[in-house]
Amino acid sequence: MSINSGEKYKVQETVVGNYVEDDKSSIANEFGHGKGGFMTAYFNVVCVVAGTGTLGLPKAFALGGWLGILILALAYAMAVYSGVILIRCLYAKPGQRLHDYKSIGTAAFGWPGYIVASILHLLNLFGCPALYLVLAGSNMNQLLQGTSAELTPAYWKIIIAVFLLIPSLLLKTIREITALTAMAALCTVLAVFVVLIQAPMDHNAHPNPVAYATDSVIWTGFPSALATIAFSFGGNNTYPHVEHALAKPHHWKWAVISGLSTCTVLYFLTAIPGYYSYGRSTQSPIYNSLPHGAGRTLSIIVMTIHVVFAMLIYTTSFSLEFEKFIKCDEERIGKIGAWFGRAIIRTCTMAILAVLAIFVPYFDDFMGLIGALANCGLVFLLPVLCYLKLTGLRNKPYYELAFCALTLFLGIIGCVFGTIDAIKSLVADFESSPA
C-alpha cells in the first residue's frame, strides 16, 4: 500500500457518514458487503464482548472499589464511540473500503501504525480465544471432577479445540455463525440471572462483615480494575468483519450501540450484586464465589457454552484476514483448493490456541494482561488516534476533543500500569505453582 501523504487518506466525513450510517437503502453494495442483517451484527457484538467481562467485572470492582461503577459507565461510552469511529476509518480512502484494523493503522501512521496495530491485533485475536479455552477446559474439569469422565484441563482444552474445528471448517464467514452466537448470548443472560439472584441470597444466608467488606475506592487497584474493564469491552478488532457481513452498512452504528448497551446492562447486573455480596473476597470467574449447588453448576455450563462459541468469532476473523492475505480464494485456486487452504489455516489456528491455553492456565491474571496490553490499545487508544489523524482536529467540537483526550488518558493508564500489575501477578502465579 502506498503511503504518501495524510491528505490522501483524509476521511470525507459527509460521504463516509452518509454511506455507513445514514443510507437508508444501502442498495449499492460497492464494497462487497455480505447478506447479513441487523441481528447478525447485534448477536456477534454481544457474543464476542459480553462473556468473560460478565465473569470478571465483580473482581474488577473488588480491585478498584465502587469507583468501578463510574469507570464501567465511562468505558461503555468510550467503547461505543470507538466502535463507531473505527468503522468510519474503514472508508478513509475515497472509493475504497479498508479491509481490517491493520490497514487502518497503515492509512493513519504508515508502517509504524501497521506494526503497532498488527501486534495488538494478533495478541487480541489469539490471547482472547486462548483465554476462553483456558476457562472452558477448567470448567469441564470442574464439572466432571470425581466422575468416570474426569480428565485434566489440558485434555479438555485439546478436545474443545478439536470440537471447534467442525463448525470452523463448515462455516466460512461471520454471517454463517450467527445462530451459534445468538445461542452464546442467551447463555450469558442465564448466567447473569443466576448471579443476580443467588449471590445476594448467599450473602444474606452467610454474612461475613470482614471478608465481604466493600470499599468506595482503592486507588492502588485502579489500573488493574481498568484493564479488566477494558477487556470486558474488547473485540472491536473483529468489528470490520462483522460490519462487512452486513447487507446494509448503515445498520452498523445501531447494532454496535444496541450490542454494547446490552452488554453493559448485563455487566451492571452481575458486577454490583457480585461485589456487594462477596466484597474483597470476590473471585474471578464470579461463579467460583457462589455456593456449590444447581445455580453454580448452571452458571458454569452456560458460560462454557458461551466462551466456546465466542472463540469461533475470533478464529474466523483471523482466518478471513489470513486467507485474504495469501489470496486463498475460489477465484484464484478454485472451490476445492480454497476449502483445503481454509482447512489448513483454521486447523493450525486451533492448534496454536490449544498450545497457548495449555501453557497459560491462570484465568484472572491472564485476562488482566490481555485487557491491559491489547484491549486498552485496541479499544481506547488506536481508534481515537487513527480517527483524529485521518479526519483532523479542527473540524471537531471541543466536547468531542475533550472526550477523546479522556479516552486516551485512561487508555494509557490502563495499558501501562495494568500491564505491570498483570505481569507481576502472573510471575507470582508461576512461582507459587507446584513444579
Side-chain angles (χ1 to χ4, degrees), residues 33-172:
H33 284 79
K35 299 178 181 179
F38 170 85
M39 298 306 293
T40 298
Y42 171 79
F43 279 121
N44 276 285
V45 170
V46 173
C47 179
V48 78
V49 173
T52 48
T54 306
L55 301 177
L57 277 174
K59 177 66 173 180
F61 278 32
L63 293 172
W66 287 115
L67 179 66
I69 293 177
L70 175 61
I71 302 173
L72 182 56
L74 279 174
Y76 159 70
M78 293 170 180
V80 169
Y81 180 73
S82 170
V84 172
I85 64 174
L86 179 68
I87 298 305
R88 287 184 184 175
C89 289
L90 290 177
Y91 301 89
K93 193 174 180 181
Q96 178 181 334
R97 181 189 183 275
L98 300 177
H99 180 63
D100 54 27
Y101 213 119
K102 302 186 295 294
S103 58
I104 294 174
T106 305
F109 297 104
W111 286 111
Y114 175 82
I115 292 172
V116 172
S118 297
I119 292 173
L120 297 180
H121 178 61
L122 291 175
L123 179 61
N124 180 269
L125 279 184
F126 280 97
C128 287
L131 178 63
Y132 293 167
L133 198 51
V134 169
L135 183 62
S138 299
N139 285 352
M140 293 302 297
N141 172 260
Q142 185 176 343
L143 285 170
L144 299 173
Q145 199 165 26
T147 70
S148 59
E150 180 181 357
L151 294 172
T152 64
Y155 280 114
W156 277 117
K157 293 167 189 174
I158 295 172
I159 291 171
I160 293 168
V162 172
F163 168 76
L164 280 175
L165 265 180
I166 299 172
S168 181
L169 296 179
L170 294 177
L171 305 175
K172 180 180 177 182

Side-chain angles (χ1 to χ4, degrees), residues 42-58 132 135 181 184-189 191-192 228-229 231-235 239 258-268 270 286 303 306-307 310 313-314 363 367:
Y42 171 79
F43 279 121
N44 276 285
V45 170
V46 173
C47 179
V48 78
V49 173
T52 48
T54 306
L55 301 177
L57 277 174
Y132 293 167
L135 183 62
T181 59
L186 293 176
C187 287
T188 300
V189 174
V192 167
T228 301
I229 291 172
F231 183 91
S232 302
F233 287 101
Y239 288 176
S258 301
L260 291 178
S261 297
T262 301
C263 294
T264 305
V265 170
L266 295 176
Y267 290 166
F268 277 120
T270 306
I286 181 58
M303 288 312 302
H306 176 102
V307 297
I313 299 178
Y314 284 99
F363 173 79
M367 181 170 67

Side-chain angles (χ1 to χ4, degrees), residues 167-423:
S168 181
L169 296 179
L170 294 177
L171 305 175
K172 180 180 177 182
T173 66
I174 292 288
R175 183 180 68 87
E176 294 165 346
I177 63 175
T178 300
L180 298 179
T181 59
M183 184 187 303
L186 293 176
C187 287
T188 300
V189 174
L190 284 176
V192 167
F193 278 104
V194 170
V195 175
L196 177 64
I197 295 170
Q198 189 159 11
M201 290 175 60
D202 185 43
H203 173 85
N204 293 331
H206 305 93
N208 190 332
V210 177
Y212 296 165
T214 60
D215 301 277
S216 298
V217 58
I218 306 172
W219 291 113
T220 55
F222 175 81
S224 296
L226 180 60
T228 301
I229 291 172
F231 183 91
S232 302
F233 287 101
N236 63 343
N237 53 331
T238 67
Y239 288 176
H241 303 288
V242 177
E243 187 265 353
H244 195 250
L246 291 174
K248 298 182 178 181
H250 76 271
H251 284 166
W252 170 252
K253 182 173 73 171
W254 306 113
V256 74
I257 292 173
S258 301
L260 291 178
S261 297
T262 301
C263 294
T264 305
V265 170
L266 295 176
Y267 290 166
F268 277 120
L269 290 177
T270 306
I272 292 176
Y275 181 50
Y276 164 78
S277 301
Y278 301 110
R280 299 167 189 165
S281 301
T282 305
Q283 299 182 54
S284 178
I286 181 58
Y287 50 65
N288 285 341
S289 294
L290 298 177
H292 290 278
R296 177 169 174 165
T297 301
L298 177 62
S299 296
I300 295 174
I301 291 172
V302 295
M303 288 312 302
T304 302
I305 295 172
H306 176 102
V307 297
V308 167
F309 289 152
M311 285 176 60
L312 280 175
I313 299 178
Y314 284 99
T315 56
T316 303
S317 295
F318 172 77
S319 299
L320 290 172
E321 290 183 16
F322 196 73
E323 289 158 21
K324 183 178 178 64
F325 177 74
I326 64 172
K327 298 180 180 179
C328 178
D329 54 61
E330 296 180 5
E331 293 181 1
R332 182 169 174 266
I333 57 177
K335 189 172 183 179
I336 296 177
W339 187 88
F340 275 106
R342 188 163 63 247
I344 293 171
I345 292 169
R346 299 188 181 195
T347 301
C348 291
T349 301
M350 285 296 179
I352 293 172
L353 289 178
V355 171
L356 288 174
I358 289 170
F359 288 100
V360 186
Y362 304 104
F363 173 79
D364 50 350
D365 293 328
F366 188 28
M367 181 170 67
L369 179 63
I370 298 299
L373 192 57
N375 286 17
C376 279
L378 291 171
V379 178
F380 297 145
L381 298 178
L382 276 185
V384 174
L385 291 173
C386 290
Y387 183 61
L388 294 178
K389 179 66 166 60
L390 290 168
T391 64
L393 298 173
R394 295 182 179 179
N395 56 355
K396 305 289 188 301
Y398 289 115
Y399 63 82
E400 184 175 3
L401 293 176
F403 186 76
C404 289
L406 178 62
T407 303
L408 293 173
F409 173 74
L410 289 180
I412 293 171
I413 294 295
C415 186
V416 175
F417 295 101
T419 299
I420 293 172
D421 288 348
I423 291 175

